[in-house]
């Protein structure tokens, strides 16, 4: 039982250190996301101005670089989301293992040790509910991963539509000549 209390205190101190790291990661993700968002807005404004003026919008290297930046940011951010989901699953498995160990100790008539294991398992269970892994206030779960993949898919469709439009315009200009 004393070892479990020492483990709990060590876990709390590691959680404080982890919060500092997680805050730094959140700030980095926010700043990088803001920069990528500004690049996407610039490309969207260029496309909008080309549509309004009726001019052809060629697929420029700048557009390709912005698309690549968005894809790289999404890929690295998806790794952060997957790590958060994996962390929650590991905590859930740890809680289950502690409950099983407590049940086994209860069968061996070691009531005090079994109660300590159950207390730690209940603490982890309450943390699973109240302390979900969040980044910038948003929980890192499957819904965020779906949103991320949806935005990547939408970006790919926009770029494919632009490439197809350029090819169609090229074919129509060749047949007109």
């Amino acid at each position: 039982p004393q070892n479990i209390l020492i483990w709990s205190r060590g876990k709390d101190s590691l959680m404080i250190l982890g919060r500092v790291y997680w805050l730094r990661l959140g700030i980095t993700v926010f700043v990088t996301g803001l920069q990528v968002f500004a690049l996407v807005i610039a490309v969207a404004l260029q496309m909008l101005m080309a549509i309004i003026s009726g001019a052809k919008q060629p697929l420029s290297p700048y557009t390709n670089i912005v698309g690549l930046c968005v894809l790289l940011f999404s890929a690295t951010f998806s790794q952060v989301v997957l790590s958060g989901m994996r962390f929650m699953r590991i905590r859930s498995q740890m809680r289950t293992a502690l409950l099983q160990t407590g049940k086994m100790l209860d069968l061996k008539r070691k009531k005090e040790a079994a109660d300590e294991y159950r207390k730690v398992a209940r603490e982890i269970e309450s943390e699973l509910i109240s302390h979900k892994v969040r980044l910038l206030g948003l929980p890192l779960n499957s819904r965020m991963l779906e949103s991320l993949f949806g935005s990547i898919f939408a970006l790919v469709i926009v770029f494919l539509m632009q490439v197809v439009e350029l090819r169609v315009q090229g074919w129509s200009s060749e047949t007109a000549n």
Side-chain angles (χ1 to χ4, degrees):
Q2 189 64 26
N3 290 340
I4 294 173
L5 294 174
I6 293 171
W7 172 81
S8 181
R9 289 184 194 130
K11 180 185 70 82
D12 291 340
S13 63
L14 284 175
M15 291 292 280
I16 291 169
L17 179 67
R19 283 188 191 115
V20 172
Y21 169 76
W22 202 250
L23 180 64
R24 287 176 55 193
L25 177 68
I27 290 170
T28 303
V29 166
F30 175 74
V31 169
T32 306
L34 196 61
Q35 291 170 350
V36 169
F37 182 72
L39 290 173
V40 169
I41 293 297
V43 168
L45 287 176
Q46 282 182 351
M47 288 181 182
L48 185 64
M49 294 303 288
I51 290 171
I52 290 173
S53 67
K56 292 181 181 177
Q57 172 68 21
L59 195 59
S60 67
Y62 176 71
T63 307
N64 291 336
I65 289 172
V66 169
L68 184 64
C69 285
V70 169
L71 290 176
L72 287 174
F73 174 74
S74 300
T76 54
F77 187 61
S78 66
Q79 291 298 316
V80 172
V81 173
L82 288 172
S83 295
M85 291 171 61
R86 193 176 310 120
F87 178 70
M88 291 297 286
R89 187 175 60 246
I90 287 170
R91 284 173 56 181
S92 178
Q93 290 171 350
M94 185 189 322
R95 176 192 56 88
T96 303
L98 285 170
L99 285 173
Q100 289 173 347
T101 304
K103 185 176 181 179
M104 184 183 67
L105 288 174
D106 201 20
L107 292 174
K108 293 182 178 179
R109 309 267 188 233
K110 296 182 179 179
K111 184 78 172 153
E112 185 178 320
D115 288 341
E116 291 298 322
Y117 274 98
R118 285 193 192 106
K119 284 179 188 176
V120 173
R122 280 190 292 256
E123 180 181 338
I124 290 174
E125 186 173 3
S126 68
E127 286 177 0
L128 283 171
I129 295 169
S130 63
H131 294 91
K132 293 185 180 194
V133 179
R134 295 179 180 273
L135 186 65
L136 301 172
L138 301 170
L140 298 180
N141 54 18
S142 59
R143 187 172 297 155
M144 181 178 280
L145 196 61
E146 289 171 3
S147 302
L148 192 61
F149 286 140
S151 64
I152 292 171
F153 185 68
L155 180 71
V156 167
I157 287 177
V158 167
F159 279 105
L160 284 177
M161 287 174 58
Q162 191 174 17
V163 168
V164 168
E165 181 183 341
L166 288 174
R167 287 194 177 176
V168 168
Q169 287 176 357
W171 288 332
S172 63
S173 65
E174 288 175 7
T175 56
N177 292 332

